[in-house]
Amino acid sequence: MQIVVPVLTPFTKDGKVDKETLKEHVRNLIKYVDVVFVNGTTGLGPALSKEEKKETLSAVYDVTDKVIFQVGSLNLNDAVELVNFSKDFHLVGVASYSPYYFQRLPEKWILNYFNELSRKAEHDFYLYNYPSATGYDISAKLVNKIEGIKGLKDTNQDLAHSLEYKIANPHLIVYNGSDSLVYYSLLSLDGTVASVANHSPHLLSAMRRFIKEGKKEKALQVQLIINSMLDVMRRYGQLSSTYSMVEVMMGYKVGYPRPPIYPLSEEEIHQLKSEVEPLKRKAEELISG
Ligand code: ELE
């Protein structure tokens, strides 16, 4: 029942990775979560340069070695360079999403891409499957052809799809990456990779505690509050709202996203806050009671 946070990447106002803020954020998160997933979707991984991906790893690693380092790139040379860079770090694993954007790539090319990375990796290798973003679903059959694969994160609204990996290979570590399925992922898979862990790690940790104590009804109520938060956040833009939500829920600032992920305006932050406050109070009552 692992909780993995796909950590957001804080930027300064002029668009540089804000390493000190990232470190401070990770210091707060690891009180509640087990692993930090670096350069994921919430971390704006596809929008980071190779050098920036190295910077985020180095900053997070100053705080914890419980890290999965996402290296995916449309330039395989860059991804390989990042895998090589990771050798100096003691990590939980390296991960990659599939080559995306270019449609109708033959399956064997996709497999080649993953195998080139997994063979070079000195750490455990993880797949990041996010079909609605990449255009490619890496099936359970294909996953089992990736040499030495340790596990995967399946960002998919279909829990049965995530379960297929587990059924096909019970040794594989399988996480679901959907915020609305945290409860079900904790119950039926190896855990969750949830972007809400950036602002509500205490809620996820309470949810897990409730499950362990057999209080499933309460755990499900936490999920329902999270779902309501997501409804609000999605109206303003989920990725940017995640930054603002850290201040609302945790009480500190984590810098800015970087365009084309535009920061929310003061007005939007104010409105978001007023919509989330009642949910925050409800959550606090639930987890303290
Ligand atoms: C998820 C997205 C999906 C988190 C990452 C993650 O950021 O790398 O809200 O379920 O559509 O992929 O946050 O979000 P939902 O693993």
Side-chain angles (χ1 to χ4, degrees):
M1 262 200 239
Q2 289 208 314
I3 300 172
V4 183
V5 60
V7 68
L8 58 75
T9 301
F11 292 94
T12 58
K13 226 173 182 166
D14 59 350
K16 307 227 165 43
V17 175
D18 184 343
K19 288 181 284 223
E20 287 312 311
T21 301
L22 177 56
K23 284 188 211 178
E24 196 51 43
H25 186 42
V26 172
R27 250 176 237 125
N28 292 320
L29 297 179
I30 53 168
K31 295 174 194 154
Y32 304 97
V33 308
D34 306 295
V35 177
V36 182
F37 191 91
V38 175
N39 303 329
T41 306
T42 310
L44 309 186
L48 298 178
S49 70
K50 180 180 67 184
E51 293 310 320
E52 287 172 332
K53 286 179 183 146
K54 292 180 185 174
E55 279 180 52
T56 52
L57 174 64
S58 302
V60 172
Y61 194 76
D62 276 352
V63 183
T64 179
D65 61 1
K66 299 281 176 283
V67 173
I68 298 178
F69 178 45
Q70 201 286 121
V71 301
S73 174
L74 290 181
N75 178 343
L76 181 58
N77 294 336
D78 283 357
V80 167
E81 186 178 322
L82 291 171
V83 168
N84 289 334
F85 177 74
S86 76
K87 292 179 181 170
D88 292 338
F89 300 79
H90 179 271
L91 305 173
V92 172
V94 297
S96 178
Y97 38 67
S98 31
Y100 54 96
Y101 188 81
F102 302 107
Q103 294 303 292
R104 295 180 285 280
L105 298 185
E107 212 167 64
K108 66 177 180 193
W109 296 4
I110 295 182
L111 191 59
N112 282 349
Y113 169 91
F114 287 120
N115 276 335
E116 288 214 37
L117 297 178
S118 75
R119 272 185 220 130
K120 291 197 171 72
E122 283 182 6
H123 303 100
D124 285 337
F125 188 75
Y126 289 74
L127 165 75
Y128 179 9
N129 190 46
Y130 193 178
S132 65
T134 63
Y136 290 94
D137 180 43
I138 311 299
S139 66
K141 207 167 142 215
L142 196 61
V143 163
N144 286 328
K145 292 186 189 159
I146 301 174
E147 291 169 26
I149 185 154
K150 178 78 176 180
L152 75 134
K153 157 170 82 144
D154 184 33
T155 294
N156 206 308
Q157 292 301 319
D158 181 0
L159 189 72
H161 183 276
S162 304
L163 281 165
E164 276 170 25
Y165 297 106
K166 204 71 196 166
I167 294 163
N169 181 356
H171 301 296
L172 215 55
I173 295 174
V174 181
Y175 303 116
N176 180 281
S178 301
D179 289 317
S180 51
L181 294 176
V182 172
Y183 169 77
Y184 304 95
S185 309
L186 291 177
L187 270 181
S188 56
L189 297 167
D190 295 291
T192 179
V193 186
S195 68
V196 292
N198 276 283
H199 53 80
S200 301
H202 52 304
L203 298 191
L204 298 190
S205 151
M207 187 197 285
R208 174 168 60 184
R209 177 167 50 82
F210 288 145
I211 293 174
K212 284 186 177 162
E213 292 169 356
K215 298 174 183 162
K216 290 194 181 167
E217 191 56 41
K218 281 187 114 176
L220 192 53
Q221 281 177 33
V222 178
Q223 179 69 66
L224 295 180
I225 293 172
I226 287 170
N227 293 358
S228 302
M229 282 178 183
L230 289 166
D231 286 343
V232 176
M233 291 170 67
R234 283 176 184 157
R235 270 191 279 113
Y236 295 95
Q238 186 171 335
L239 287 168
S240 293
S241 296
T242 301
Y243 291 74
S244 307
M245 283 292 284
V246 174
E247 189 171 3
V248 177
M249 297 299 292
M250 314 267 283
Y252 59 88
K253 289 185 191 291
V254 282
Y256 304 87
R258 183 168 65 187
I261 308 304
Y262 290 92
L264 304 193
S265 67
E266 285 305 318
E267 175 68 20
E268 286 170 325
I269 294 172
H270 183 76
Q271 284 170 5
L272 174 86
K273 191 171 177 190
S274 65
E275 288 190 65
V276 170
E277 280 298 343
L279 297 169
K280 181 181 172 185
R281 279 197 294 278
K282 211 168 147 186
E284 276 163 6
E285 267 170 43
L286 183 64
I287 67 173
S288 65

